[in-house]
Amino acid sequence: MKETQVYPSLLSADFGNLQKEIEMINASEADSLHLDVMDGVFVPNITFGAPILQMVSKHITKPMDVHLMIVDPDKFIEGTKEFGIDLMTVHYEACTHIHRTLQKIKAAGMRAGVALNPGTPVCMLRDIIEMIDVVLLMSVNPGFGGQKFIPHSLNKVRELKKMIEESGSHALIEIDGGVNYETGQQLIDAGADILVAGSFVFGSKNPYETIHNLKKLTPAQ
Ligand code: DX5
Ligand code: ZN
């Protein structure tokens, strides 16, 4: 049986103790570190950009998963390709030429991800699904941590899973927003491969144990 992958989101970490938080991730069972880049235009919040990603890349020993919530993400790809980023995800809604953008990400040596907002249907990916490594389904409206999970996301996971299987694509399904043990189990049952969790991991008493328990979620028989 395939293992659930867990990508903690740095957004909910203590930015006053960033090195300590990164060391926690390094010592944990997390599969990757999820990094949310926000520009205050595509989403109503600003986080960090290339200098912070470069700094994090020097300390993190896990792969980096960069979630770009910015307009015109093409501009960002070239300048970050030296940071050893494993997966770069752009929003479908932010790309006029998504096919070209995915080619650029791959040419820069990274896995390519496409994120969908809660209001964007899964069928928009039909003609590009074979070139996508990871589909990131947003289960909250992007911009902030700690929001409530949108239950309709479960239908989207099931529909996407079907599309992936029918097309023969190797894409993995990653979910971002409102993930906890309860929604995590529902998502894994629906067919998700990767769980992003921000406030649930960094806000917990024992983040190591929370990551461990999320990784142990397997589809109910
Ligand atoms: C929200 C970000 C998420 C965020 C999730 O726009 O993309 O990665 O950190 O936070 P939680 O897990 O608290 O919903
Ligand atoms: Zn994210």
Side-chain angles (χ1 to χ4, degrees), residues 7-9 11-12 34 36 67 69 116 118 136-154 157 174-184 186-187 194-200:
Y7 293 9
S9 168
L11 188 62
S12 291
H34 184 86
D36 292 297
H67 177 192
M69 283 160 277
L116 295 183
L136 176 57
L137 290 181
M138 291 305 303
S139 40
V140 297
N141 284 295
F144 304 95
Q147 300 182 83
K148 201 171 169 299
F149 181 78
I150 299 171
H152 178 69
S153 314
L154 296 169
V157 174
E174 178 178 13
I175 312 293
D176 189 5
V179 169
N180 54 37
Y181 293 144
E182 192 190 345
T183 57
Q186 293 168 348
L187 288 161
I194 303 166
L195 301 176
V196 173
S199 51
F200 193 62

Side-chain angles (χ1 to χ4, degrees), residues 96-142:
T96 312
H97 300 287
I98 186 80
H99 188 280
R100 181 185 290 153
T101 305
L102 293 175
Q103 285 177 325
K104 271 194 189 172
I105 295 173
K106 290 181 175 209
M110 298 177 269
R111 289 197 293 157
V114 178
L116 295 183
N117 282 334
T120 306
V122 160
C123 63
M124 303 311 280
L125 302 180
R126 195 167 297 278
D127 291 326
I128 47 168
I129 193 69
E130 280 169 60
M131 61 191 302
I132 301 175
D133 295 305
V134 175
V135 177
L136 176 57
L137 290 181
M138 291 305 303
S139 40
V140 297
N141 284 295

Side-chain angles (χ1 to χ4, degrees), residues 38-63:
M38 304 187 191
D39 65 356
V41 180
F42 182 71
V43 286
N45 196 9
I46 298 175
T47 52
F48 48 79
I52 298 285
L53 290 180
Q54 189 172 24
M55 185 281 285
V56 171
S57 75
K58 289 183 183 148
H59 298 279
I60 192 81
T61 57
K62 306 269 180 177

